[in-house]
Amino acid sequence: MTVIDHQSPDIATHTWTRACALTDLVPGRGVAVLLPDATQVALFRMPDDELYAVGNIDPYGRAAVMSRGLVGDRAGEPTIASPLLKQVFSLRTGLCLDDEGVGLGTHAVRVVDGVVDVCSC
């Protein structure tokens, strides 16, 4: 599912994209968000209600599939495993835990009035 909505500027000059209502996110599952600059982001709501956003493009398979990955944790680190070749990435840092030279990139996330925004920063 790709969610596209309007953007709202932040006073700190960051561009925020309204993704969806927080209640639309299923804990332990991801959704894809398309930012205004055509960047694809995978947005996750964890079972503890923590939110994370990382790049949606699998750096190994070059496909936009990370939002469909397997959510988990490794020694307390929240993770997403690629649905293609199963490399595991930190949701906090975006770094691949199997190959530290590879990463997804991360995006700031906020909730305003029950709506999840993803930053283009």
Side-chain angles (χ1 to χ4, degrees):
M1 168 171 138
T2 299
V3 181
I4 305 173
D5 205 336
H6 66 280
Q7 60 185 354
S8 56
D10 183 70
I11 58 172
T13 69
H14 294 298
T15 300
W16 293 89
T17 298
R18 301 195 79 182
C20 59
L22 178 61
T23 56
D24 289 341
L25 296 174
V26 176
R29 306 280 306 266
V31 297
V33 178
L34 184 62
L35 300 181
D37 66 358
T39 299
Q40 293 190 35
V41 175
L43 174 63
F44 298 93
R45 179 178 179 185
M46 302 303 282
D48 64 1
D49 286 332
E50 195 72 29
L51 296 172
Y52 296 98
V54 296
N56 194 39
I57 307 295
D58 181 320
Y60 294 96
R62 305 301 308 154
V65 296
M66 295 308 296
S67 63
R68 296 180 180 162
L70 304 170
V71 172
D73 77 78
R74 188 178 281 180
E77 179 75 17
T79 61
I80 184 68
S82 169
L84 296 178
L85 300 173
K86 307 300 185 260
Q87 287 88 359
V88 177
F89 297 84
S90 166
L91 285 171
R92 288 188 185 127
T93 66
L95 291 177
C96 182
L97 301 179
D98 301 318
D99 179 356
E100 293 182 14
V102 178
L104 297 172
T106 60
H107 296 266
V109 179
R110 70 180 183 186
V111 178
V112 177
D113 296 327
V115 176
V116 180
D117 295 337
V118 179
C119 187
S120 296
C121 46

